[in-house]
Amino acid sequence: EAGVAQSPRYKIIEKRQSVAFWCNPISGHATLYWYQQILGQGPKLLIQFQNNGVVDDSQLPKDRFSAERLKGVDSTLKIQPAKLEDSAVYLCASSLGLRDIEAFFGQGTRLTVV
Amino acid sequence: DQQVKQNSPSLSVQEGRISILNCDYTNSMFDYFLWYKKYPAEGPTFLISISSIKDKNEDGRFTVFLNKSAKHLSLHIVPSQPGDSAVYFCAALNQAGTALIFGKGTTLSVSS
């Protein structure tokens, strides 16, 4: 069974530039999550999708972050414009359903904003 | 406001001995807890979980204990192996029961 795929693995951009991350969840997983992990911290939920609908985006900085999962499968997370404090690892995870507690994580995208 | 706290950033243990990783939480409404393990440059992987209706769950070398009155849980690894060296995250399922709230993690180093 293929795991959660994320790309790119690494990205370096200048502040005020834009960047996008892509995630392909495990086949058949209806629930998709984007987490932000800042160095020295645990992952923090940014947004959660159930199929193509948003379940929770309460911690997503909506003035600069956006995410979509148009066909209920893969998803993109965008930052525009980036700030220095956005430097982090962005983790995508998926689970079978909304109340399936075990989430499977991708390797993450390490973003450095300079 | 940290709802899940792992107060020990690191732990060093000798191979064959017991590793005990601790976690505290503040929200008494949490009813499911999980431990994830993370190796460098990889995403976290699920290790073991426990429901609040239990006080212990065991899976091979890994046992999680839950003390609801103290709002405390711990992960015991016996015996510890060098391959267990990783960052361990404690997580609680949010009140909606839909997403995880993570602690900051504890880095475990097991020496041979």
Side-chain angles (χ1 to χ4, degrees):
Chain A
E1 177 183 85
V4 176
Q6 288 189 247
S7 67
R9 288 294 311 277
Y10 305 93
K11 190 75 177 178
I12 301 174
I13 61 171
E14 294 183 348
K15 59 184 178 183
R16 292 188 289 274
Q17 284 188 321
S18 61
V19 64
F21 313 127
W22 174 82
C23 172
N24 191 27
I26 292 173
S27 177
H29 280 196
T31 307
L32 185 147
Y33 313 80
W34 283 102
Y35 284 87
Q36 179 193 57
Q37 186 181 8
I38 293 172
L39 187 65
Q41 306 284 324
K44 183 185 85 171
L45 179 70
L46 291 176
I47 189 167
Q48 179 185 5
F49 292 94
Q50 175 69 7
N51 295 310
N52 61 350
V54 175
V55 174
D56 184 354
D57 64 356
S58 57
Q59 298 193 86
L60 187 73
K62 298 181 188 62
D63 57 336
R64 299 183 300 106
F65 286 64
S66 64
E68 58 183 15
R69 194 185 184 199
L70 292 175
K71 296 182 180 178
V73 180
D74 56 350
S75 175
T76 55
L77 175 70
K78 296 178 182 177
I79 308 174
Q80 181 180 12
K83 292 185 175 181
L84 295 177
E85 60 260 36
D86 298 332
S87 295
V89 175
Y90 290 84
L91 293 161
C92 179
S94 69
S95 62
L96 277 171
L98 203 58
R99 299 197 180 275
D100 192 320
I101 58 142
E102 183 179 346
F104 295 82
F105 284 82
Q107 290 181 297
T109 296
R110 179 176 295 279
L111 173 68
T112 302
V113 182
V114 297
Chain B
D1 179 25
Q2 247 193 308
Q3 299 187 68
V4 177
K5 301 177 185 178
Q6 293 178 259
N7 293 320
S8 298
S10 61
L11 175 68
S12 294
V13 171
Q14 281 193 316
E15 181 178 9
R17 306 294 289 266
I18 185 171
S19 295
I20 300 176
L21 296 97
N22 294 303
C23 177
D24 298 295
Y25 61 96
T26 57
N27 191 335
S28 58
M29 299 299 289
F30 290 150
D31 59 6
Y32 225 102
F33 303 91
L34 300 87
W35 285 91
Y36 275 77
K37 180 166 83 171
K38 184 181 183 306
Y39 292 118
E42 293 185 13
T45 55
F46 171 77
L47 190 58
I48 192 169
S49 65
I50 188 166
S51 164
S52 62
I53 63 173
K54 296 185 175 182
D55 55 17
K56 177 183 174 182
N57 188 28
E58 192 172 352
D59 184 2
R61 296 186 297 114
F62 303 91
T63 303
V64 56
F65 295 92
L66 176 62
N67 182 334
K68 283 185 65 178
S69 60
K71 297 194 186 73
H72 176 83
L73 62 155
S74 60
L75 174 68
H76 292 212
I77 306 173
V78 184
S80 301
Q81 299 174 354
D84 296 328
S85 298
V87 179
Y88 288 79
F89 290 102
C90 173
L93 200 59
N94 67 2
Q95 285 184 252
T98 55
L100 298 171
I101 300 171
F102 285 87
K104 290 186 177 183
T106 296
T107 301
L108 173 65
S109 300
V110 181
S111 56
S112 53

